[in-house]
Amino acid sequence: MTEWETLQPHAASEREVIDGVEAIGGALCEGDWETSPPEPIPPSPLSRRLVALLRRGVIAEVAHLDIPTADTLQVLHQLEQIAEQLESPWDHHFTDQLAGPDGLELVVEVAHDLRSPLTSILFLAETLQRGQSGSITPLQERQLGLIYSAAFGLSAVASDVIELARGGDRLVDLDPMPFSVSDILESVRDIVLPMAEEKGLEVKVTPPRQPVRIGHPVAINRVLLNLTTNALKFTDEGSVHVSATDAAGDLLTFVVRDTGRGIPPHALAMLFEPFRRRQRDREYSFSGSGLGLSICRKLVEAMGAELLVETYEGEGTQFTFSLALPSPEGGIGLQA
C-alpha cells in the first residue's frame, strides 16, 4: 500500500495532502521554537496522519545513522511537539460538543449504550440464579447476586442520566392504577439483598395495613429503590428499614431509614442538586454525579408530595414522603 492510499480516507484530494505537508514543513522551518513558536496547525485526522508518517520517516533515517545529527534530532523533537498540539484540542472539542445543541442527545445516546449491555447482564445473572441453566452452589448464588446488584447499580446510573435529560419528573405510568405496596417493598428488598448481605446489614420492610392502592407504582418503586440503595451504600453496620404507614385519610407515608453515618450539615444544602462534586473522599453523596436524589425529589414532587430528610451524624438518616393513594374498592385486579 502506498503512502497516498493510507491517506485517502482522511483527504479529499492530493492537493489537500500537499497543502498539509507544506503547513507542517513551514512549521518545522520557522526559527527558534523556544522563543517564537509557530502558528498552530488546525487539528484534523489528515494532519495527525501526516505528522505520524513524517515522524516515522525521520525515525527510519535516524536508524541508519551511527550518530544522529543535531538537526535530525531537532526535527524529530519538533514533530513530537506538533503531534502534541494536534491532540490536545480534542478534549476542548468534546467539551464544545457537549455544550452544543446536540450535547444533551449525545449524553443520552451514551447512557443508552451503557444500559443495553447491562440489561443483558441482569437477565443472564437472574437466569443463572434461578437455576434455569443448571444447578449452582450457594457460593455461586451469592456471587451472582453481587453481579446482579453491581449491574443494576450501573444501569440505574444510566437510567438517571436519561431521565434527567428528559426533565427527571417523567411518570411512566401517567394514569394512576391499582397496585400492591407490599409487592413493591418486597421487590426492593429482593434487589438490594445481595448488597446488604455482603456488608452484613439487615433489610427490613413494613407494609401498610391496607396494601392495595391506586397510584404510580413505577415511580414509587424507583424512588424507594434509589433511596434504599443509597442508604445501604452509607451504612456500615446495623440495618436499613423501608416502611409504608397508613396515615389520615388516603395518605400513605413512605420512610427509608438507615443506621449509617448521617449527612454532615455542609452537605445538606446541595443534597438534591445534580452534577455536584464531593469536596472530600467518602463525603456523603448519592453518587459521584448526585443524579439519584435529584430524580427522587422530582418524581415525588410530580406525584404531589415533598421528599423530606432528617439526619443525625453518627446515628443515621431518614427520607420521608407522603402520598395520597386511595384504596380501590375490593382491590381491583389485585390481592392484598
Side-chain angles (χ1 to χ4, degrees):
M1 179 179 287
T2 65
E3 298 293 6
W4 163 241
E5 288 174 326
T6 67
L7 294 171
Q8 276 185 315
H10 308 297
S13 64
E14 290 191 39
R15 180 70 256 173
E16 188 177 358
V17 174
I18 294 171
D19 290 343
V21 172
E22 289 179 349
I24 296 171
L28 293 174
C29 295
E30 287 188 22
D32 185 359
W33 278 34
E34 298 297 329
T35 58
S36 179
E39 288 292 321
I41 298 171
S44 69
L46 175 62
S47 58
R48 293 199 304 278
R49 180 64 181 158
L50 286 172
V51 170
L53 289 174
L54 290 171
R55 179 177 175 275
R56 190 170 66 192
V58 173
I59 291 175
E61 288 297 323
V62 170
H64 294 301
L65 300 175
D66 294 331
I67 301 177
T69 65
D71 289 342
T72 303
L73 293 177
Q74 178 67 15
V75 169
L76 185 59
H77 176 64
Q78 290 174 339
L79 284 172
E80 295 284 359
Q81 288 182 282
I82 292 175
E84 289 180 7
Q85 291 173 357
L86 292 175
E87 291 293 340
S88 60
W90 283 91
D91 58 343
H92 301 298
H93 175 70
F94 181 68
T95 303
D96 292 341
Q97 287 286 94
L98 289 178
D102 298 325
L104 198 58
E105 189 60 31
L106 174 62
V107 172
V108 170
E109 288 180 8
V110 171
H112 272 297
D113 288 344
L114 290 172
R115 195 168 62 173
S116 296
L118 288 169
T119 301
S120 298
I121 294 172
L122 289 170
F123 174 77
L124 291 172
E126 190 172 3
T127 299
L128 291 169
Q129 273 186 301
R130 292 178 177 177
Q132 295 177 2
S133 301
S135 60
I136 58 175
T137 67
L139 176 59
Q140 290 171 329
E141 183 178 4
R142 176 170 167 269
Q143 291 170 335
L144 285 169
L146 293 174
I147 291 172
Y148 186 92
S149 292
F152 184 87
L154 292 173
S155 180
V157 172
S159 296
D160 287 345
V161 171
I162 295 170
E163 288 302 318
L164 193 64
R166 292 168 174 167
D169 56 358
R170 189 172 61 99
L171 298 177
V172 176
D173 40 358
L174 294 178
D175 296 323
M177 64 183 68
F179 70 99
S180 170
V181 178
S182 298
D183 287 350
I184 287 180
L185 297 181
E186 289 298 328
S187 173
V188 168
R189 183 180 183 276
D190 289 344
I191 291 174
V192 303
L193 195 57
M195 183 193 309
E197 290 177 342
E198 181 68 11
K199 299 185 69 174
L201 302 173
E202 182 182 5
V203 179
K204 298 181 285 188
V205 297
T206 302
R209 293 190 306 273
Q210 172 51 271
V212 181
R213 301 289 181 132
I214 295 178
H216 301 279
V218 175
I220 293 172
N221 183 84
R222 180 159 191 186
V223 171
L224 292 177
L225 187 56
N226 279 346
L227 293 176
T228 305
T229 304
N230 194 47
L232 287 170
K233 186 187 304 182
F234 292 95
T235 301
D236 296 323
E237 58 182 22
S239 64
V240 173
H241 187 192
V242 187
S243 64
T245 306
D246 300 88
D250 293 331
L251 280 181
L252 202 61
T253 299
F254 293 89
V255 177
V256 178
R257 183 172 64 251
D258 65 59
T259 58
R261 71 183 76 134
I263 306 173
H266 69 271
L268 280 173
M270 299 185 64
L271 190 64
F272 296 104
E273 294 298 320
F275 300 112
R276 49 184 158 74
R277 292 185 178 275
R278 283 174 285 198
Q279 300 301 314
R280 295 183 291 274
D281 290 341
R282 291 179 60 81
E283 181 179 61
Y284 188 97
S285 176
F286 187 87
S287 66
S289 59
L291 297 179
L293 275 182
S294 174
I295 292 173
C296 284
R297 184 183 64 174
K298 286 177 176 291
L299 286 174
V300 169
E301 290 177 350
M303 291 185 285
E306 182 182 4
L307 183 58
L308 305 174
V309 58
E310 296 180 37
T311 186
Y312 302 93
E313 284 197 76
E315 297 182 19
T317 300
Q318 174 175 295
F319 286 92
T320 307
F321 60 98
S322 296
L323 299 174
L325 302 173
S327 301
E329 292 183 3
I332 301 173
L334 292 171
Q335 294 181 357

